[in-house]
CSV table of all heavy atoms in Angstrom, one decimal:
chain,number,residue,atom,x,y,z
A,16,ASN,N,10.3,9.1,-14.9
A,16,ASN,CA,9.2,8.8,-15.9
A,16,ASN,C,7.9,9.0,-15.2
A,16,ASN,O,7.5,8.3,-14.2
A,16,ASN,CB,9.3,7.3,-16.4
A,16,ASN,CG,8.4,7.0,-17.5
A,16,ASN,OD1,7.3,7.7,-17.7
A,16,ASN,ND2,8.6,5.9,-18.1
A,17,PRO,N,7.0,9.8,-15.7
A,17,PRO,CA,5.7,10.1,-15.0
A,17,PRO,C,4.8,8.9,-15.1
A,17,PRO,O,4.0,8.8,-14.1
A,17,PRO,CB,5.1,11.3,-15.8
A,17,PRO,CG,5.8,11.4,-17.1
A,17,PRO,CD,7.1,10.8,-16.8
A,18,TRP,N,4.9,8.0,-16.0
A,18,TRP,CA,4.0,6.8,-16.1
A,18,TRP,C,4.4,5.9,-15.0
A,18,TRP,O,3.6,5.2,-14.4
A,18,TRP,CB,4.2,6.2,-17.5
A,18,TRP,CG,3.5,7.0,-18.5
A,18,TRP,CD1,4.2,7.7,-19.5
A,18,TRP,CD2,2.1,7.3,-18.7
A,18,TRP,NE1,3.3,8.3,-20.3
A,18,TRP,CE2,2.0,8.1,-19.8
A,18,TRP,CE3,1.0,6.9,-18.0
A,18,TRP,CZ2,0.8,8.6,-20.2
A,18,TRP,CZ3,-0.2,7.3,-18.4
A,18,TRP,CH2,-0.3,8.2,-19.5
A,19,ARG,N,5.7,5.8,-14.7
A,19,ARG,CA,6.2,4.9,-13.6
A,19,ARG,C,5.7,5.5,-12.3
A,19,ARG,O,5.3,4.7,-11.4
A,19,ARG,CB,7.7,4.8,-13.6
A,19,ARG,CG,8.2,3.8,-12.7
A,19,ARG,CD,9.7,3.6,-12.7
A,19,ARG,NE,9.9,3.0,-14.1
A,19,ARG,CZ,11.0,2.3,-14.3
A,19,ARG,NH1,11.8,2.0,-13.4
A,19,ARG,NH2,11.1,1.7,-15.5
A,20,THR,N,5.8,6.8,-12.1
A,20,THR,CA,5.2,7.4,-10.9
A,20,THR,C,3.8,7.1,-10.8
A,20,THR,O,3.3,6.8,-9.6
A,20,THR,CB,5.5,8.9,-10.9
A,20,THR,OG1,6.9,9.1,-11.1
A,20,THR,CG2,5.0,9.6,-9.6
A,21,LEU,N,3.0,7.3,-11.8
A,21,LEU,CA,1.5,7.0,-11.7
A,21,LEU,C,1.3,5.6,-11.4
A,21,LEU,O,0.3,5.4,-10.7
A,21,LEU,CB,0.9,7.4,-13.1
A,21,LEU,CG,-0.6,7.3,-13.2
A,21,LEU,CD1,-1.2,8.4,-12.2
A,21,LEU,CD2,-1.0,7.7,-14.6
A,22,ALA,N,2.0,4.6,-12.0
A,22,ALA,CA,1.8,3.3,-11.7
A,22,ALA,C,2.1,3.0,-10.2
A,22,ALA,O,1.4,2.2,-9.6
A,22,ALA,CB,2.7,2.4,-12.6
A,23,PHE,N,3.1,3.6,-9.7
A,23,PHE,CA,3.5,3.3,-8.3
A,23,PHE,C,2.4,3.9,-7.3
A,23,PHE,O,2.0,3.2,-6.4
A,23,PHE,CB,4.8,4.0,-7.9
A,23,PHE,CG,5.2,3.8,-6.5
A,23,PHE,CD1,5.8,2.6,-6.1
A,23,PHE,CD2,5.2,4.8,-5.6
A,23,PHE,CE1,6.1,2.4,-4.8
A,23,PHE,CE2,5.5,4.6,-4.3
A,23,PHE,CZ,6.1,3.4,-3.9
A,24,VAL,N,1.8,5.0,-7.7
A,24,VAL,CA,0.8,5.6,-6.9
A,24,VAL,C,-0.4,4.7,-7.0
A,24,VAL,O,-1.2,4.5,-6.0
A,24,VAL,CB,0.4,7.1,-7.3
A,24,VAL,CG1,-0.9,7.5,-6.6
A,24,VAL,CG2,1.6,8.0,-7.0
A,25,GLY,N,-0.7,4.1,-8.1
A,25,GLY,CA,-1.8,3.2,-8.3
A,25,GLY,C,-1.6,2.0,-7.5
A,25,GLY,O,-2.6,1.5,-6.8
A,26,VAL,N,-0.5,1.4,-7.5
A,26,VAL,CA,-0.1,0.2,-6.7
A,26,VAL,C,-0.3,0.4,-5.2
A,26,VAL,O,-0.9,-0.4,-4.5
A,26,VAL,CB,1.3,-0.3,-7.0
A,26,VAL,CG1,1.7,-1.3,-5.9
A,26,VAL,CG2,1.3,-0.9,-8.4
A,27,VAL,N,0.1,1.6,-4.8
A,27,VAL,CA,0.0,2.0,-3.3
A,27,VAL,C,-1.5,2.0,-3.0
A,27,VAL,O,-1.9,1.5,-1.9
A,27,VAL,CB,0.7,3.3,-3.0
A,27,VAL,CG1,0.3,3.8,-1.6
A,27,VAL,CG2,2.2,3.1,-3.1
A,28,GLY,N,-2.3,2.8,-3.8
A,28,GLY,CA,-3.7,2.8,-3.5
A,28,GLY,C,-4.5,1.5,-3.6
A,28,GLY,O,-5.3,1.3,-2.7
A,29,LEU,N,-4.2,0.7,-4.6
A,29,LEU,CA,-4.9,-0.5,-4.6
A,29,LEU,C,-4.4,-1.5,-3.5
A,29,LEU,O,-5.3,-2.2,-3.0
A,29,LEU,CB,-4.5,-1.2,-6.0
A,29,LEU,CG,-5.2,-0.7,-7.2
A,29,LEU,CD1,-4.6,-1.4,-8.5
A,29,LEU,CD2,-6.7,-0.8,-7.1
A,30,ASP,N,-3.2,-1.3,-3.1
A,30,ASP,CA,-2.8,-2.2,-2.0
A,30,ASP,C,-3.5,-1.9,-0.7
A,30,ASP,O,-4.0,-2.7,0.0
A,30,ASP,CB,-1.2,-2.1,-1.8
A,30,ASP,CG,-0.7,-3.0,-0.8
A,30,ASP,OD1,-1.1,-4.2,-0.7
A,30,ASP,OD2,0.2,-2.6,0.0
A,31,PHE,N,-3.6,-0.6,-0.4
A,31,PHE,CA,-4.3,-0.1,0.8
A,31,PHE,C,-5.9,-0.5,0.7
A,31,PHE,O,-6.4,-1.1,1.6
A,31,PHE,CB,-4.3,1.3,0.9
A,31,PHE,CG,-5.0,1.9,2.2
A,31,PHE,CD1,-4.4,1.7,3.4
A,31,PHE,CD2,-6.1,2.6,2.1
A,31,PHE,CE1,-5.0,2.1,4.5
A,31,PHE,CE2,-6.8,3.1,3.2
A,31,PHE,CZ,-6.3,2.8,4.4
A,32,ALA,N,-6.4,-0.3,-0.5
A,32,ALA,CA,-7.9,-0.6,-0.7
A,32,ALA,C,-8.2,-2.1,-0.5
A,32,ALA,O,-9.1,-2.5,0.1
A,32,ALA,CB,-8.3,-0.1,-2.0
A,33,PHE,N,-7.3,-2.9,-1.1
A,33,PHE,CA,-7.5,-4.4,-1.0
A,33,PHE,C,-7.5,-4.8,0.5
A,33,PHE,O,-8.3,-5.6,0.9
A,33,PHE,CB,-6.3,-5.1,-1.8
A,33,PHE,CG,-6.4,-6.6,-1.6
A,33,PHE,CD1,-7.4,-7.3,-2.3
A,33,PHE,CD2,-5.6,-7.3,-0.8
A,33,PHE,CE1,-7.5,-8.6,-2.2
A,33,PHE,CE2,-5.7,-8.7,-0.6
A,33,PHE,CZ,-6.6,-9.4,-1.3
A,34,CYS,N,-6.5,-4.3,1.3
A,34,CYS,CA,-6.5,-4.6,2.7
A,34,CYS,C,-7.7,-4.3,3.4
A,34,CYS,O,-8.3,-5.0,4.3
A,34,CYS,CB,-5.2,-4.0,3.3
A,34,CYS,SG,-3.7,-4.7,2.8
A,35,VAL,N,-8.2,-3.0,3.2
A,35,VAL,CA,-9.4,-2.6,3.9
A,35,VAL,C,-10.7,-3.5,3.4
A,35,VAL,O,-11.4,-3.9,4.3
A,35,VAL,CB,-9.7,-1.1,3.6
A,35,VAL,CG1,-11.0,-0.6,4.1
A,35,VAL,CG2,-8.5,-0.3,4.2
A,36,VAL,N,-10.8,-3.6,2.2
A,36,VAL,CA,-12.0,-4.4,1.7
A,36,VAL,C,-11.8,-5.9,2.2
A,36,VAL,O,-12.9,-6.4,2.6
A,36,VAL,CB,-12.1,-4.4,0.1
A,36,VAL,CG1,-13.0,-5.4,-0.4
A,36,VAL,CG2,-12.4,-3.0,-0.3
A,37,ALA,N,-10.7,-6.4,2.2
A,37,ALA,CA,-10.5,-7.8,2.7
A,37,ALA,C,-10.9,-7.9,4.1
A,37,ALA,O,-11.5,-8.9,4.6
A,37,ALA,CB,-9.1,-8.4,2.4
A,38,GLY,N,-10.5,-6.9,5.0
A,38,GLY,CA,-10.8,-6.9,6.3
A,38,GLY,C,-12.3,-6.8,6.6
A,38,GLY,O,-12.9,-7.5,7.4
A,39,PHE,N,-12.9,-5.9,5.8
A,39,PHE,CA,-14.4,-5.8,5.9
A,39,PHE,C,-15.1,-7.0,5.5
A,39,PHE,O,-16.0,-7.5,6.3
A,39,PHE,CB,-14.9,-4.6,5.0
A,39,PHE,CG,-16.3,-4.5,4.9
A,39,PHE,CD1,-17.0,-3.9,5.9
A,39,PHE,CD2,-17.0,-5.0,3.8
A,39,PHE,CE1,-18.4,-3.8,5.9
A,39,PHE,CE2,-18.3,-4.8,3.7
A,39,PHE,CZ,-19.1,-4.3,4.7
A,40,LEU,N,-14.8,-7.7,4.4
A,40,LEU,CA,-15.5,-8.8,3.9
A,40,LEU,C,-15.2,-10.0,4.9
A,40,LEU,O,-16.2,-10.8,5.2
A,40,LEU,CB,-15.0,-9.2,2.5
A,40,LEU,CG,-15.5,-8.2,1.4
A,40,LEU,CD1,-14.9,-8.6,0.1
A,40,LEU,CD2,-17.0,-8.1,1.4
A,41,LEU,N,-14.0,-10.2,5.4
A,41,LEU,CA,-13.8,-11.2,6.3
A,41,LEU,C,-14.6,-11.0,7.6
A,41,LEU,O,-15.2,-12.0,8.1
A,41,LEU,CB,-12.3,-11.3,6.7
A,41,LEU,CG,-11.9,-12.4,7.8
A,41,LEU,CD1,-12.2,-13.7,7.2
A,41,LEU,CD2,-10.5,-12.2,8.2
A,42,GLY,N,-14.6,-9.8,8.1
A,42,GLY,CA,-15.4,-9.5,9.3
A,42,GLY,C,-16.9,-9.7,9.1
A,42,GLY,O,-17.6,-10.2,9.9
A,43,ARG,N,-17.4,-9.3,7.9
A,43,ARG,CA,-18.8,-9.5,7.6
A,43,ARG,C,-19.2,-11.0,7.6
A,43,ARG,O,-20.2,-11.4,8.2
A,43,ARG,CB,-19.2,-8.8,6.4
A,43,ARG,CG,-20.7,-8.7,6.2
A,43,ARG,CD,-21.0,-7.8,5.0
A,43,ARG,NE,-21.0,-8.7,3.8
A,43,ARG,CZ,-21.4,-8.4,2.6
A,43,ARG,NH1,-21.7,-7.2,2.4
A,43,ARG,NH2,-21.3,-9.2,1.6
A,44,TYR,N,-18.3,-11.8,7.0
A,44,TYR,CA,-18.5,-13.3,6.9
A,44,TYR,C,-18.5,-13.9,8.3
A,44,TYR,O,-19.4,-14.6,8.7
A,44,TYR,CB,-17.5,-13.9,6.0
A,44,TYR,CG,-17.5,-15.4,6.1
A,44,TYR,CD1,-18.4,-16.1,5.5
A,44,TYR,CD2,-16.5,-16.0,6.9
A,44,TYR,CE1,-18.5,-17.5,5.5
A,44,TYR,CE2,-16.5,-17.5,6.9
A,44,TYR,CZ,-17.5,-18.2,6.3
A,44,TYR,OH,-17.5,-19.5,6.4
A,45,LEU,N,-17.6,-13.5,9.2
A,45,LEU,CA,-17.5,-14.0,10.5
A,45,LEU,C,-18.7,-13.5,11.3
A,45,LEU,O,-19.1,-14.3,12.2
A,45,LEU,CB,-16.1,-13.7,11.1
A,45,LEU,CG,-14.9,-14.4,10.5
A,45,LEU,CD1,-13.6,-13.8,11.2
A,45,LEU,CD2,-15.0,-15.8,10.6
A,46,ASP,N,-19.1,-12.3,11.2
A,46,ASP,CA,-20.2,-11.8,11.9
A,46,ASP,C,-21.5,-12.7,11.6
A,46,ASP,O,-22.3,-13.0,12.5
A,46,ASP,CB,-20.5,-10.4,11.6
A,46,ASP,CG,-19.9,-9.4,12.6
A,46,ASP,OD1,-19.6,-9.9,13.6
A,46,ASP,OD2,-19.8,-8.2,12.2
A,47,ARG,N,-21.6,-13.0,10.3
A,47,ARG,CA,-22.8,-13.8,9.9
A,47,ARG,C,-22.8,-15.2,10.4
A,47,ARG,O,-23.7,-15.8,10.8
A,47,ARG,CB,-23.0,-13.8,8.4
A,47,ARG,CG,-23.5,-12.4,7.9
A,47,ARG,CD,-23.7,-12.5,6.4
A,47,ARG,NE,-24.2,-11.2,6.0
A,47,ARG,CZ,-24.4,-10.9,4.7
A,47,ARG,NH1,-24.2,-11.7,3.8
A,47,ARG,NH2,-24.8,-9.6,4.4
A,48,LEU,N,-21.5,-15.7,10.5
A,48,LEU,CA,-21.3,-17.1,10.9
A,48,LEU,C,-21.5,-17.2,12.4
A,48,LEU,O,-22.1,-18.2,12.8
A,48,LEU,CB,-19.8,-17.5,10.6
A,48,LEU,CG,-19.4,-18.9,10.9
A,48,LEU,CD1,-20.2,-19.9,10.0
A,48,LEU,CD2,-17.9,-19.1,10.7
A,49,PHE,N,-21.1,-16.3,13.2
A,49,PHE,CA,-21.2,-16.3,14.6
A,49,PHE,C,-22.4,-15.4,15.2
A,49,PHE,O,-22.5,-15.4,16.4
A,49,PHE,CB,-19.9,-15.9,15.3
A,49,PHE,CG,-18.8,-16.9,15.1
A,49,PHE,CD1,-17.6,-16.4,14.3
A,49,PHE,CD2,-18.8,-18.1,15.3
A,49,PHE,CE1,-16.6,-17.3,14.0
A,49,PHE,CE2,-17.7,-19.0,15.1
A,49,PHE,CZ,-16.7,-18.6,14.4
A,50,ALA,N,-23.1,-14.8,14.4
A,50,ALA,CA,-24.2,-13.9,14.8
A,50,ALA,C,-23.7,-12.9,15.8
A,50,ALA,O,-24.3,-12.7,16.9
A,50,ALA,CB,-25.3,-14.7,15.3
A,51,THR,N,-22.7,-12.1,15.5
A,51,THR,CA,-22.1,-11.1,16.5
A,51,THR,C,-22.1,-9.7,15.9
A,51,THR,O,-21.3,-8.9,16.3
A,51,THR,CB,-20.7,-11.5,16.8
A,51,THR,OG1,-19.9,-11.6,15.7
A,51,THR,CG2,-20.6,-12.8,17.6
A,52,SER,N,-23.0,-9.5,14.9
A,52,SER,CA,-23.0,-8.2,14.1
A,52,SER,C,-23.0,-7.1,15.1
A,52,SER,O,-23.8,-7.1,16.0
A,52,SER,CB,-24.2,-8.2,13.2
A,52,SER,OG,-24.1,-7.1,12.4
A,53,PRO,N,-22.3,-6.0,14.9
A,53,PRO,CA,-21.3,-5.8,13.9
A,53,PRO,C,-19.8,-5.8,14.5
A,53,PRO,O,-18.9,-5.3,13.9
A,53,PRO,CB,-21.5,-4.3,13.5
A,53,PRO,CG,-21.9,-3.7,14.8
A,53,PRO,CD,-22.7,-4.8,15.6
A,54,TRP,N,-19.6,-6.5,15.6
A,54,TRP,CA,-18.4,-6.4,16.3
A,54,TRP,C,-17.2,-7.0,15.6
A,54,TRP,O,-16.1,-6.4,15.6
A,54,TRP,CB,-18.6,-7.0,17.7
A,54,TRP,CG,-19.7,-6.3,18.4
A,54,TRP,CD1,-20.9,-6.7,18.8
A,54,TRP,CD2,-19.7,-4.8,18.8
A,54,TRP,NE1,-21.6,-5.7,19.4
A,54,TRP,CE2,-20.9,-4.6,19.4
A,54,TRP,CE3,-18.7,-3.8,18.6
A,54,TRP,CZ2,-21.3,-3.3,19.9
A,54,TRP,CZ3,-19.1,-2.6,19.2
A,54,TRP,CH2,-20.3,-2.3,19.8
A,55,ILE,N,-17.3,-8.2,15.1
A,55,ILE,CA,-16.2,-8.7,14.4
A,55,ILE,C,-15.9,-8.0,13.1
A,55,ILE,O,-14.7,-7.8,12.8
A,55,ILE,CB,-16.4,-10.3,14.1
A,55,ILE,CG1,-16.6,-11.1,15.4
A,55,ILE,CG2,-15.3,-10.9,13.3
A,55,ILE,CD1,-16.9,-12.5,15.2
Side-chain angles (χ1 to χ4, degrees):
N16 184 346
W18 292 108
R19 187 174 292 210
T20 304
L21 187 61
F23 181 74
V24 170
V26 165
V27 167
L29 285 174
D30 187 39
F31 182 75
F33 177 77
C34 291
V35 172
V36 170
F39 172 77
L40 292 176
L41 176 67
R43 195 172 83 171
Y44 170 75
L45 292 174
D46 265 341
R47 289 182 179 177
L48 185 66
F49 297 117
T51 58
S52 187
W54 302 112
I55 296 178

